Amino acid sequence: MIIFGVDPGLTRCGVGVIEAGAYRRLSFIHVDVVRSDPHTPQDLRLLEIYNGLCAKMDEFIPDVVSIERVFAQENRNTVLGTAQAAGLAMLAAAQRGIPVAVHTPSESKLAITGNGRAEKIQMERMVARILGLNQLPKPADAADALAIAICHALRPAGAIQGGEREQHLTKAQRQWAQAAQRAGKTSSAKRAM
Amino acid sequence: MIIFGVDPGLTRCGVGVIEAGAYRRLSFIHVDVVRSDPHTPQDLRLLEIYNGLCAKMDEFIPDVVSIERVFAQENRNTVLGTAQAAGLAMLAAAQRGIPVAVHTPSESKLAITGNGRAEKIQMERMVARILGLNQLPKPADAADALAIAICHALRPAGAIQGGEREQHLTKAQRQWAQAAQRAGKTSSAKRAM
């Protein structure tokens, strides 16, 4: 299963592609940052990001696109552009019939380090270890994109929110559900699970 | 000149098309709302809105796309979807080589009623009068889309922000520049002027 992770951004949009095999064995395929020039008008920047994402999806033909969730309360100066970049990744996936999953940074940290509040450097080290990389993935946007792809592969099985199921969950699944609930996560991630 | 106004939204995205002739004579061409089903996943909703906007642009072949500006401090529950819908309108325009202008609601009110804080009903009446419509345009999203198209046609000539030019502006141009400045407007609207 090819997982295409996206750390959305208008200036720098991270893309990380991994393969998830049997027994949750993960391997690195690709990492890159799709960029747009901050000095060009916004419509042309969006077109640049969209074209870059489409080209990568056509190159790696993923089975699922895993996108880092954008929150409205984030930095006001960039949040709208970030949301638009996430929207373009969703559009590109939908146009290709690829299911989309949305994961929060806390879910990603929890799935990768076991701690929903892990530091950045811990995350980068774990991403490198999980994928068997000799050095830390760079730049940071790229590492985040790999993390969000790994998160989708390593999330606890059946990690779907919903109070009626919680009593049957394992500890990891409960932690996951709680992290997702704290983030006010909606149902859009369910499709790909 | 065909102007394609967009009142962005994920559930209801207003589209209003007008023609601006000589002496700022405006005529009505089309008004509609592109919708997406709130019960479907977000990626499919974005695809629906995008396809609807593309179809309308291909039908009316506008010279400019005029989009209502989205503010980060707006309603948190909907602002990200609204920003994403605006991003899709920009993408669809950029893919067709159509210039994009972004106007704030206050600019629209000022251009249409002479008052940047006009009430909704005043705006609707003026939109109907300017376009020679026998009744108020409905639904509201559609009226707003027509307003944002009219705004682009009626904005004061040379209404570009920039302190160095302000001393040469007429009163209307000054009011416009002030309204735009208050809104923290960026340069993306300049291209279409």
Side-chain angles (χ1 to χ4, degrees):
Chain A
M1 183 194 216
I2 308 288
I3 306 176
F4 188 102
V6 178
D7 178 33
L10 186 54
T11 303
R12 308 164 52 79
C13 186
V15 170
V17 188
I18 64 169
E19 177 155 22
Y23 307 108
R24 296 193 167 190
R25 197 193 175 90
L26 305 183
S27 42
F28 171 84
I29 295 183
H30 176 80
V31 72
D32 200 2
V33 174
V34 177
R35 296 159 206 266
S36 81
D37 179 355
H39 303 294
T40 57
Q42 189 163 355
D43 52 322
L44 300 186
R45 297 184 69 185
L46 292 171
L47 180 60
E48 242 178 307
I49 296 291
Y50 171 78
N51 286 344
L53 290 174
C54 286
K56 299 259 179 225
M57 286 186 200
D58 289 338
E59 186 177 350
F60 297 104
I61 314 179
D63 297 291
V64 58
V65 171
S66 175
I67 306 175
E68 187 169 304
R69 186 179 164 96
V70 184
F71 292 95
Q73 60 269 40
E74 277 172 24
N75 185 340
R76 282 190 184 171
N77 291 328
T78 58
V79 67
L80 298 186
T82 306
Q84 289 175 333
L88 297 183
M90 289 185 195
L91 174 70
Q95 287 174 322
R96 287 160 179 76
I98 306 169
V100 169
V102 178
H103 296 292
T104 68
S106 343
E107 286 171 10
S108 181
K109 287 172 181 171
L110 185 63
I112 291 173
T113 69
N115 169 11
R117 295 175 177 192
E119 300 285 333
K120 203 163 190 61
I121 184 69
Q122 272 182 282
M123 281 289 282
E124 288 174 4
R125 283 188 189 138
M126 280 304 294
V127 165
R129 186 181 301 174
I130 288 167
L131 297 178
L133 305 175
N134 289 327
Q135 48 188 4
L136 300 188
K138 289 202 172 153
D141 320 62
D144 289 347
L146 283 174
I148 214 78
I150 296 173
C151 165
H152 186 75
L154 295 188
R155 76 202 183 284
I160 298 179
Q161 293 73 54
E164 79 283 0
R165 292 195 48 190
E166 265 189 42
Q167 58 272 35
H168 308 296
L169 301 180
T170 64
K171 189 182 165 203
Q173 287 172 339
R174 258 200 314 279
Q175 283 186 319
W176 179 277
Q178 283 159 3
Q181 209 151 32
R182 272 198 303 277
K185 195 179 172 193
T186 60
S187 64
S188 64
K190 291 183 187 173
R191 283 173 64 229
M193 289 174 174
Chain B
M1 182 195 221
I2 308 289
I3 306 175
F4 188 102
V6 178
D7 179 33
L10 185 54
T11 303
R12 308 165 51 80
C13 185
V15 170
V17 188
I18 64 168
E19 176 155 22
Y23 307 109
R24 296 194 168 190
R25 195 192 177 92
L26 305 184
S27 40
F28 170 85
I29 295 182
H30 176 80
V31 73
D32 200 3
V33 174
V34 177
R35 294 159 207 265
S36 80
D37 179 355
H39 303 293
T40 57
Q42 188 163 355
D43 53 324
L44 300 185
R45 298 184 69 185
L46 292 170
L47 180 61
E48 241 178 308
I49 296 289
Y50 171 78
N51 286 344
L53 290 173
C54 286
K56 298 257 178 229
M57 287 187 198
D58 290 338
E59 185 177 351
F60 298 105
I61 314 177
D63 297 291
V64 59
V65 171
S66 176
I67 306 175
E68 188 169 303
R69 187 179 163 97
V70 183
F71 293 97
Q73 60 269 39
E74 277 171 26
N75 185 340
R76 281 189 185 172
N77 291 329
T78 59
V79 66
L80 298 185
T82 307
Q84 289 175 332
L88 298 183
M90 290 185 195
L91 174 70
Q95 287 173 320
R96 288 159 178 77
I98 307 169
V100 169
V102 178
H103 297 293
T104 68
S106 343
E107 286 171 10
S108 180
K109 288 172 181 173
L110 185 63
I112 291 172
T113 69
N115 170 10
R117 295 177 178 191
E119 300 284 335
K120 202 161 191 66
I121 184 69
Q122 272 182 281
M123 280 289 282
E124 288 175 4
R125 283 188 189 138
M126 280 304 293
V127 164
R129 186 180 301 172
I130 289 167
L131 298 179
L133 305 176
N134 290 327
Q135 48 187 6
L136 300 188
K138 289 201 174 154
D141 320 62
D144 289 347
L146 283 174
I148 214 79
I150 297 173
C151 164
H152 187 75
L154 296 188
R155 75 201 185 284
I160 298 179
Q161 293 74 54
E164 79 284 0
R165 291 194 51 192
E166 266 190 43
Q167 60 271 36
H168 308 296
L169 301 181
T170 64
K171 189 182 164 203
Q173 287 171 338
R174 257 200 314 279
Q175 283 186 318
W176 179 276
Q178 283 159 2
Q181 209 151 33
R182 272 198 302 277
K185 197 179 170 193
T186 61
S187 62
S188 66
K190 290 182 185 173
R191 284 173 64 228
M193 289 176 173

